[in-house]
Amino acid sequence: MCTHNHFMKEAIELSRTSMNTNEGGPFGAIIVKNNQVVGRGNNKVTSSNDPTAHAEVVAIRDACKNLGTFQLDGCVMYTSCEPCPMCLGAIYWARPEKVYFANTREDAANIGFDDDFIYNEINIPIEKRHITFEQIQQENALEVFQEWKLKTDKIDY
């Protein structure tokens, strides 16, 4: 049976791989279910030109594909660094049972990956955020929400 340290070492090795292959920043993550790795991910932001290709998101996508599900019930994530706000949101949507992390967000900030501005933006009223948000077409979009509410064959999540 593998240990938490074994799985974390694998996540850390993925972070090293990401860095050494220039796929992205030094971040890696794995997802484990029943003591088996079901998803792997390393940061691929710069190599894929995808700002959402963080290690945790890549690992979630891989695990969900491999498990044939959109939720990670019964899974545990091991990630080389405390998740950023985007990854934290993705983790909550995926619903694993637990997350183990190695480096802290402060450690990441010390090498140039500082997410504090995002954490701060979350608590700022929409009209005062650094990126302008403007609401339009709510009445048309609400029609679709109402249709969803009445849809009888929807898959809840």
Side-chain angles (χ1 to χ4, degrees):
M1 183 169 203
C2 294
T3 65
H4 296 304
N5 287 330
H6 169 82
F7 290 129
M8 185 56 78
K9 283 180 184 176
E10 187 169 342
I12 292 168
E13 276 308 306
L14 282 170
S15 73
R16 182 173 280 114
T17 296
S18 182
M19 176 184 66
N20 288 338
T21 60
N22 290 322
E23 288 187 286
F27 303 97
I30 64 168
I31 296 172
V32 174
K33 184 170 187 169
N34 299 325
N35 213 39
Q36 298 292 319
V37 176
V38 295
R40 289 178 173 81
N42 61 279
N43 186 289
K44 296 181 182 201
V45 169
T46 57
S47 62
S48 66
N49 294 321
D50 180 355
T52 69
H54 289 200
E56 296 89 343
V57 172
V58 173
I60 288 168
R61 290 172 181 163
D62 188 45
C64 288
K65 180 184 78 171
N66 292 334
L67 294 172
T69 183
F70 54 86
Q71 304 225 297
L72 298 177
D73 299 326
C75 293
V76 176
M77 175 181 279
Y78 296 84
T79 180
S80 65
C81 190
E82 181 180 354
C84 75
M86 176 188 69
C87 293
L88 185 62
I91 289 165
Y92 272 91
W93 281 115
R95 297 184 178 105
E97 288 182 3
K98 189 167 187 174
V99 176
Y100 291 93
F101 66 94
N103 291 320
T104 66
R105 70 192 221 199
E106 291 81 12
D107 296 328
N110 288 336
I111 63 164
F113 294 92
D114 190 350
D115 298 323
D116 273 348
F117 75 98
I118 299 172
Y119 284 104
N120 294 334
E121 286 283 301
I122 292 169
N123 294 318
I124 295 174
I126 289 175
E127 64 277 0
K128 294 184 179 180
R129 290 183 181 163
H130 286 88
I131 295 177
T132 303
F133 283 71
E134 182 178 343
Q135 184 178 22
I136 62 172
Q137 293 281 328
Q138 180 185 22
E139 52 284 337
N140 291 333
L142 279 174
E143 287 178 19
V144 179
F145 275 14
Q146 290 304 315
E147 291 171 25
W148 171 261
K149 193 174 175 180
L150 300 173
K151 185 173 172 61
T152 58
D153 63 344
K154 65 187 169 202
I155 299 172
D156 288 320
Y157 59 100

